[in-house]
Amino acid sequence: SPPPAPAGIKAQYDRLLLDLLEKSTGPEITLMMSPEADKMREDYQKAVETRMMPGGRWCDMTDWAGKIVGTTCRIAALLKLADDACNHYGDPWAEKKVDPSATRGNEVNADEMARAIKIAVCLGSHAERAYGLGADGGEDLARKAAAKLEAAGKDKTTRRELQRKLKVKADEMGDVLDILEERGYVRVKQVPRKGGGYGRPKETIEVNPEIWKTI
């Protein structure tokens, strides 16, 4: 068993929960997403829907997968409320309360959505195991690819360059990119060949900068 949390951290956590409970009895608040957060939500939703398609990794667990995007939005909203409760502009645990709606507003930002997606990724891994979908080679390669992209520090790369760094065959890259895109780490864009030539379009991999702030 892990050691118990230090008394100071436990006291701060208890105080945060009490603060959130206090707010739950106040006036109703409508939270909105910032344009950046909503775009991240949309990208994540598209990736989830791809996995739910026939033959996709989540095609046999659509009852769970169909609810994960909504769950992720609710997690992001809770993170926003917790951030506001902690942020008293000075001592985060000061007795004097500052109404967050009068300062930052009722908007879920990109950082909070990125953290919520990261939590959803963990929930997805647990759900896969509950449905009997164990980790496979694609998952391992995806973790390696994420580490390579983070180490490179670039905002974009190409499929061929990432394949070269991973030292894998071309047919192994599909699952890797599907996993990274589904989890919001990257966005894959196809770039037509110059002059309209024949052959497979070049794929540019755009790295999500908000995700790297949270991992």
Side-chain angles (χ1 to χ4, degrees):
S1 299
I9 293 178
K10 185 179 183 301
Q12 291 175 353
Y13 182 74
D14 290 344
R15 188 168 182 178
L16 170 61
L17 293 184
L18 290 173
D19 191 51
L20 292 175
L21 285 172
E22 180 183 342
K23 286 180 171 57
S24 69
T25 62
E28 182 175 309
I29 298 175
T30 300
L31 298 179
M32 306 294 291
M33 289 188 192
S34 70
E36 296 80 9
D38 193 44
K39 181 62 171 61
M40 295 178 72
R41 188 272 315 161
E42 182 181 1
D43 290 343
Y44 179 60
Q45 182 171 343
K46 289 178 180 178
V48 169
E49 290 173 349
T50 297
R51 285 206 154 192
M52 292 170 61
M53 293 175 64
R57 186 168 178 82
W58 289 354
C59 66
D60 293 326
M61 47 185 281
T62 54
D63 54 336
W64 178 90
K67 301 173 183 176
I68 187 58
V69 176
T71 298
T72 303
C73 292
R74 288 188 283 275
I75 292 173
L78 290 172
L79 291 173
K80 182 265 188 298
L81 294 175
D83 283 351
D84 285 347
C86 290
N87 188 5
H88 296 302
Y89 307 96
D91 177 7
W93 306 108
E95 291 296 335
K96 183 179 180 181
K97 304 294 183 181
V98 177
D99 181 6
S101 64
T103 52
R104 188 160 73 87
N106 295 334
E107 192 173 75
V108 175
N109 63 32
D111 175 70
E112 288 149 353
M113 179 55 70
R115 284 185 280 150
I117 291 174
K118 185 180 179 183
I119 293 172
V121 168
C122 294
L123 296 177
S125 296
H126 283 282
E128 286 182 0
R129 282 150 184 76
Y131 279 82
L133 302 176
D136 56 22
E139 295 278 353
D140 291 337
L141 281 176
R143 282 192 287 270
K144 292 178 181 178
K148 296 284 186 184
L149 290 171
E150 184 180 14
K154 298 180 180 179
D155 59 357
K156 65 177 59 177
T157 185
T158 65
R159 181 189 183 108
R160 179 173 295 181
E161 182 179 356
L162 184 57
Q163 178 186 339
R164 179 179 57 79
K165 289 182 178 180
L166 292 174
K167 299 179 181 179
V168 297
K169 298 179 180 179
D171 58 3
E172 295 179 273
M173 287 299 298
D175 287 344
V176 172
L177 293 178
D178 284 347
I179 293 170
L180 291 177
E181 193 165 26
E182 179 268 321
R183 297 183 178 181
Y185 292 161
V186 303
R187 178 173 59 183
V188 181
K189 300 184 72 174
Q190 292 194 345
V191 181
R193 290 180 174 273
K194 294 182 179 180
Y198 294 101
R200 183 171 182 164
K202 180 180 178 181
E203 287 186 337
T204 298
I205 303 169
E206 297 181 349
V207 179
N208 181 353
E210 294 296 331
I211 288 293
W212 302 134
K213 295 177 183 178
T214 66
I215 64 175

